[in-house]
Amino acid sequence: MSRLLSCDQYSLYSAGNGKEAIELAMKINPDLILLDVMMPGIDGAEVCRILKNSDTTLQIPIIMLTACHDKDVKLRCLKAGANDFLAKPVDNVELQLRVNNLLEFRKHADTRKLNALLEQSKMKLEDKNRKLADALQQIEKTQHQVIQQEKMATIGLMAAGVAHEINNPMSFISCNINSLGKYMERMREYQAALKIHLLACPDSSRQAIEEVQRKLKIEYILEDTISLVNQSLEGAGRVRNIVQALKNFSRIDQADEELADIIQCLESTINIVWNEIKYVATLQKDFGKIPKIKCYPQQLNQVFMNLLVNAAHAIAGMGEITVRTWQDSTNIFISISDTGSGIPVDIQQLIFEPFFTTKEAGKGTGLGLPISYDIVKKHGGDLMLASQLGLGTTFTVRLPINYI
């Protein structure tokens, strides 16, 4: 056999029995094994089985050599994992062809295995790249959300500070206007008493005093001053409402979860964004009775502010914004509708994506709705969209009544 295969193309190793064959194969890991069925000690079929059950030698092609034409012997070798058979006496040409075929097959098998490993590595690398890209996007999203939340916290602090600074002088103004109103009532009483006593005066004196009153427009001044006081009190009341809305909106001292009145949150937020709404829309309130819920009011104020401002920005000309509240057995609902331009169907699925915006450059960050969506989700609720192009848009917030 060695003579038949002896050439520069091969390096040949031989073993005298089955045990030596196993040890040699384990040691040198050959490219191909020629194995005689009949050997001293362990026979060829058993050696084949042992080699095919080892991870080290599993892939090595094995050609069985036998002078026996017994079918059972061949079947036993095939079951053991033999790749081919040669009958003795061995034909040189046939031996060369079978050896070359199996070596070529193994070479291609190794190539296929290597290609498979490369493909697996490529897929793993692509998967890692996708995960890295997703992680990077999540980091960017989180970073922008943190920045936005810091901005909101800063706005809250400023709102609380401004509210405090406005509240003190407004207290003086309101108190003084109230006092002025009382003084003017006394002046009117005095003017009425003066008229009565003037009747007892000589005509010349009475006429002189009446002429002075007409010239100085005392009657008009008294009446107009009362009207001015009432208007000033009404204006001071509006300022107080705005200050209270700022305090409610910021809630810097109430950053923890608490039992909150959502309608009060809506009223405070509407007061804050009223300047955005009043020039583009009339506001309709349809507040159905809803229970207080445990939540983070400042965060929900941010959601309502985003939705109200978006509704105002969606309206060209003069339109209408409607804010509704209602409940079922387990949830409360808040809807904010506008009669604006609506959102095209093909981009509706994108509006909750970070950085996506339909506004002009510089007018939107594309973070208002994603942040609102996350806030509502963290409260165990849903933020839902219904929109028709040219008819308007409705955002509905669902919040569970008993969220834990």
Side-chain angles (χ1 to χ4, degrees):
M1 189 64 63
S2 297
R3 181 181 57 79
L4 293 175
L5 292 174
S6 180
C7 66
D8 295 336
Q9 188 179 358
Y10 308 118
S11 295
L12 302 176
Y13 300 86
S14 61
N17 56 54
K19 182 179 178 183
E20 289 180 8
I22 294 170
E23 292 173 353
L24 185 61
M26 296 289 184
K27 181 179 179 181
I28 67 173
N29 194 23
D31 294 315
L32 184 139
I33 296 173
L34 291 167
L35 197 60
D36 204 333
V37 174
M38 303 300 295
M39 288 193 300
I42 307 173
D43 69 5
E46 182 62 16
V47 172
C48 180
R49 187 190 66 79
I50 292 172
L51 293 176
K52 290 296 184 179
N53 285 332
S54 171
D55 292 336
T56 305
T57 55
L58 172 64
Q59 300 298 330
I60 301 173
I62 297 176
I63 299 176
M64 304 299 298
L65 303 174
T66 180
C68 178
H69 299 286
D70 189 348
K71 182 179 178 181
D72 291 337
V73 173
K74 289 186 177 181
L75 289 175
R76 183 165 169 254
C77 292
L78 288 171
K79 288 179 180 178
N83 299 91
D84 204 350
F85 280 92
L86 271 176
K88 294 181 180 179
V90 176
D91 179 77
N92 184 32
V93 175
E94 184 180 6
L95 175 63
Q96 292 285 350
L97 287 173
R98 290 181 183 272
V99 168
N100 288 339
N101 287 344
L102 282 176
L103 288 175
E104 191 69 20
F105 178 80
R106 184 177 183 186
K107 183 173 73 173
H108 289 310
D110 289 343
T111 302
R112 287 193 297 271
K113 183 179 179 182
L114 181 59
N115 288 338
L117 290 173
L118 287 172
E119 187 64 26
Q120 289 178 4
S121 298
K122 179 183 175 183
M123 292 175 64
K124 288 180 180 179
L125 183 60
E126 290 175 348
D127 185 56
K128 286 182 179 179
N129 287 338
R130 281 194 297 270
K131 289 179 180 178
L132 285 172
D134 292 342
L136 179 60
Q137 185 180 26
Q138 185 62 37
I139 289 170
E140 290 177 347
K141 175 183 175 183
T142 303
Q143 182 183 25
H144 282 81
Q145 286 181 343
V146 168
I147 292 171
Q148 190 75 359
Q149 288 167 357
E150 287 296 324
K151 286 181 180 178
M152 290 304 298
T154 303
I155 291 170
L157 285 168
M158 291 176 62
V162 169
H164 177 73
E165 292 300 322
I166 293 175
N167 203 40
N168 288 336
M170 280 309 303
S171 297
F172 304 147
I173 293 170
S174 297
C175 183
N176 291 341
I177 292 175
N178 275 315
S179 297
L180 180 61
K182 293 177 182 178
Y183 295 161
M184 293 310 300
E185 286 296 332
R186 292 184 182 182
M187 288 296 296
R188 291 180 69 178
E189 291 177 11
Y190 169 76
Q191 179 71 2
L194 183 62
K195 283 183 178 181
I196 294 172
H197 288 290
L198 278 176
L199 296 175
C201 293
D203 290 343
S204 59
S205 298
R206 186 178 71 252
Q207 290 172 358
I209 293 173
E210 289 175 347
E211 180 61 26
V212 171
Q213 288 180 342
R214 281 193 297 272
K215 185 178 179 180
L216 297 178
K217 299 180 180 180
I218 298 300
E219 288 286 346
Y220 172 78
I221 288 173
L222 287 174
E223 291 297 328
D224 193 47
T225 301
I226 296 297
S227 176
L228 291 175
V229 167
N230 289 334
Q231 290 176 15
S232 298
L233 286 172
E234 182 182 351
R238 290 182 182 178
V239 174
R240 281 197 304 271
N241 289 338
I242 293 172
V243 169
Q244 186 59 47
L246 282 170
K247 292 170 72 176
N248 290 340
F249 182 81
S250 61
R251 291 181 178 268
I252 299 304
D253 56 340
Q254 297 179 1
D256 295 330
E257 196 175 29
E258 63 176 85
L259 200 63
D261 184 344
I262 297 301
I263 292 179
Q264 183 184 14
C265 291
L266 286 166
E267 292 282 17
S268 298
T269 307
I270 288 169
N271 282 333
I272 294 296
V273 301
W274 181 241
N275 197 57
E276 292 281 345
I277 296 173
K278 64 182 180 181
Y279 297 111
V280 297
T282 56
L283 182 67
Q284 302 294 331
K285 300 178 187 176
D286 182 11
F287 292 156
K289 187 176 180 181
I290 57 174
K292 292 183 177 181
I293 63 168
K294 198 171 185 181
C295 62
Y296 294 92
Q298 187 181 12
Q299 294 183 11
L300 291 179
N301 284 344
Q302 183 179 353
V303 172
F304 302 145
M305 183 182 73
N306 288 335
L307 297 180
L308 285 165
V309 170
N310 283 351
H313 289 176
I315 296 172
M318 198 69 185
E320 185 176 287
I321 295 174
T322 303
V323 184
R324 294 181 59 230
T325 62
W326 70 97
Q327 71 174 96
D328 61 18
S329 58
T330 56
N331 302 281
I332 66 167
F333 299 87
I334 307 96
S335 71
I336 297 175
S337 305
D338 64 68
T339 57
S341 56
I343 301 172
V345 175
D346 58 334
I347 65 171
Q348 287 185 17
Q349 69 272 22
L350 301 174
I351 62 168
F352 295 118
E353 292 293 326
F355 315 120
F356 178 82
T357 179
T358 58
K359 298 179 183 177
E360 297 175 14
K363 289 190 176 181
T365 63
L367 288 171
L369 286 174
I371 289 175
S372 299
Y373 184 84
D374 286 346
I375 290 172
V376 174
K377 282 294 183 183
K378 287 175 182 176
H379 281 77
D382 287 312
L383 178 55
M384 298 162 282
L385 164 69
S387 184
Q388 285 185 281
L389 203 60
L391 295 178
T393 300
T394 298
F395 284 96
T396 302
V397 177
R398 179 190 65 80
L399 295 170
I401 294 174
N402 297 314
Y403 177 61
I404 300 176

